[in-house]
Amino acid sequence: MGAGKFLFPVKAMSPVFRAKMIEQMKKAELISDPNFISQLKRKKWIVYAKPPFGKVDTLIKYLAGYTFKTAITNKRIIQHQNGKVTYLYKDYRHGGVKKKMTLSDKEFLRRLSLHFLPLRFTRIRHYGILSSGWKSKLFPTVKPKPKVDWKDLWAEKGIDVVLCPTCQKGKLIAVRELKPKRGPPTDQYSTNKNNHHRFHRS
């Protein structure tokens, strides 16, 4: 398709999507009140459509910045000396100008810990009909995929994860499990509210 052209007219997609959505919701017994259904039909639904977001690699790289990057990258940390940390940040109040900031190592760690997710929190969460609680209602015939052991996944790639990396003969044996500790620390530095500036991801 050429620039600015779509497979379907955007304005025509809105009433079609509305009708299909209401029909499926009625079949799933999510809505039954005739008055409520009439209100839905009278509403103008908006279908957001735009050209593809570049290539697949571009989209993955864009999403990865929000799902896997930490609060601050190593290249932004300029110096760590004498209990002080100097790093670069963007001042969004003044047009995103890059500036330097120096903090004590304890204050630096305090601000960094503000970006650690508490226990049982995830970076990406789905709400509404996309939430996990709705999956069984919307797709009652779909069976969950069987869980695959992570060792088997690597074995399919020809990698033995329990093989000793030194002698390449013996097998590694688990001797202890380290449970993850997530969330901000509970010491005095986590309650310091005098300075509220946080890191900004570049």
Side-chain angles (χ1 to χ4, degrees):
M1 292 182 291
K5 295 183 180 180
F6 295 89
L7 184 60
F8 301 105
V10 177
K11 292 184 178 180
M13 290 173 60
S14 299
V16 174
F17 176 77
R18 176 183 59 192
K20 294 292 184 181
M21 190 68 181
I22 293 176
E23 180 183 357
Q24 293 301 318
M25 292 174 68
K26 290 167 62 177
K27 287 183 178 180
E29 299 182 353
L30 299 177
I31 55 175
S32 58
D33 186 1
N35 294 329
F36 180 66
I37 295 175
S38 298
Q39 293 179 13
L40 290 178
K41 291 181 178 180
R42 289 194 298 267
K43 289 285 185 179
K44 290 185 178 181
W45 289 35
I46 299 175
V47 175
Y48 180 71
K50 60 182 295 185
F53 189 82
K55 298 181 180 179
V56 176
D57 294 342
T58 306
L59 177 60
I60 293 176
K61 184 177 180 181
Y62 172 79
L63 295 176
Y66 291 92
T67 57
F68 295 103
K69 276 192 175 180
T70 56
I72 185 171
T73 55
N74 292 338
K75 64 181 181 180
R76 290 175 54 197
I77 302 176
I78 302 174
Q79 187 180 52
H80 177 213
Q81 190 175 6
N82 299 326
K84 300 287 184 179
V85 179
T86 302
Y87 66 96
L88 292 173
Y89 75 97
K90 285 185 178 180
D91 188 351
Y92 290 99
R93 295 182 179 179
H94 298 87
V97 179
K98 288 187 177 181
K99 298 182 178 180
K100 295 181 181 180
M101 177 172 289
T102 301
L103 301 171
S104 67
D105 50 7
K106 292 181 179 179
E107 176 62 16
F108 179 85
L109 291 175
R110 184 191 73 84
R111 296 186 186 188
L112 180 63
S113 67
L114 294 175
H115 296 268
F116 297 163
L117 294 175
L119 186 64
R120 291 185 296 275
F121 271 65
T122 58
R123 288 179 181 269
I124 302 177
R125 296 183 294 275
H126 297 100
Y127 293 91
I129 61 174
L130 298 179
S131 63
S132 58
W134 277 82
K135 290 181 180 179
S136 58
K137 297 179 181 178
L138 297 177
F139 310 104
T141 59
V142 177
K143 297 181 179 179
K145 294 182 179 180
K147 293 184 178 181
V148 181
D149 188 84
W150 63 277
K151 296 180 182 179
D152 296 334
L153 292 176
W154 284 107
E156 293 177 359
K157 302 178 183 293
I159 300 176
D160 186 358
V161 294
V162 297
L163 182 66
C164 177
T166 303
C167 67
Q168 297 294 320
K169 294 181 180 180
K171 299 291 184 179
L172 299 177
I173 301 175
V175 295
R176 183 181 177 187
E177 179 183 358
L178 298 177
K179 295 183 179 180
K181 294 182 178 180
R182 307 176 70 182
T186 56
D187 59 14
Q188 57 179 328
Y189 301 106
S190 64
T191 58
N192 183 7
K193 299 180 180 180
N194 295 330
N195 198 335
H196 60 274
H197 176 81
R198 294 188 179 186
F199 297 117
H200 294 281
R201 185 184 64 80
S202 60

